[in-house]
Amino acid sequence: STTISATQGVAITPITFTSDVAATFNVTGLPAGLSTTTAADKKSVTISGTPTGYGTSNFTVSATAYGKTSSVSGSVTVAQKLPTLVLTSGSANQTVNVNAAISTIKYTASGSAASIKVDGLPNGVTAAISGLVATISGKPSEVGTFNFSVTATNNESKTTVLSGKIV
């Protein structure tokens, strides 16, 4: 049994299955984005490509020659790619007086992101979450240096984190 580990959106290292004689190859069960190429001498088949989805797929490679078929099975486990997180407006690092409004800061998550959250804001400053957009605004009501983080998380609990500071 062959196990292939991959990441969504990243090309796999090609894997080749061989036969001692010329054969007709049939490969079933590959995830989207992977394909096969049979060698000109018909003695091998290569699986290659870039998986577009994620999860586990079970595949079978069959070789038929002289009326006989031999098969091997395997699996491809594709990890979900990290979510994308970008600062879409405002400055992530701001210095303001107590009870003075910060300039609004906006972060947007995309790609494989399923959620977004903000931690570490000073009292008086809040993050409004709408879908995969976090909008940070308000007036700090306490003195200090506040390092905050914005985290985008995908369905496999993989995260991308950006940070900022309000002084």
Side-chain angles (χ1 to χ4, degrees), residues 17-27 38 41-45 60-72:
F17 296 87
T18 60
S19 170
D20 292 334
V21 296
T24 301
F25 289 94
N26 185 35
V27 182
T38 300
D41 66 3
K42 298 189 184 279
K43 289 187 176 182
S44 66
V45 64
T60 302
V61 177
S62 300
T64 302
Y66 305 110
K68 295 183 179 179
T69 301
S70 296
S71 298
V72 294

Side-chain angles (χ1 to χ4, degrees), residues 105-117:
I105 308 166
K106 187 180 288 188
Y107 289 88
T108 302
S110 61
S112 67
S115 66
I116 187 170
K117 71 174 185 169

Side-chain angles (χ1 to χ4, degrees), residues 37-64:
T37 304
T38 300
D41 66 3
K42 298 189 184 279
K43 289 187 176 182
S44 66
V45 64
T46 300
I47 297 172
S48 62
T50 302
T52 57
Y54 64 95
T56 299
S57 299
N58 295 312
F59 67 90
T60 302
V61 177
S62 300
T64 302

Side-chain angles (χ1 to χ4, degrees), residues 101-165:
I102 66 166
S103 296
T104 300
I105 308 166
K106 187 180 288 188
Y107 289 88
T108 302
S110 61
S112 67
S115 66
I116 187 170
K117 71 174 185 169
V118 180
D119 294 303
L121 295 173
N123 288 326
V125 176
T126 59
I129 306 295
S130 176
L132 295 175
V133 177
T135 304
I136 302 168
S137 62
K139 299 176 182 179
S141 60
E142 56 187 328
V143 175
T145 299
F146 300 89
N147 295 301
F148 67 89
S149 63
V150 181
T151 305
T153 305
N154 68 19
N155 292 325
E156 292 184 340
S157 299
K158 293 181 180 171
T159 61
T160 299
V161 180
L162 296 177
S163 60
K165 182 178 359 182

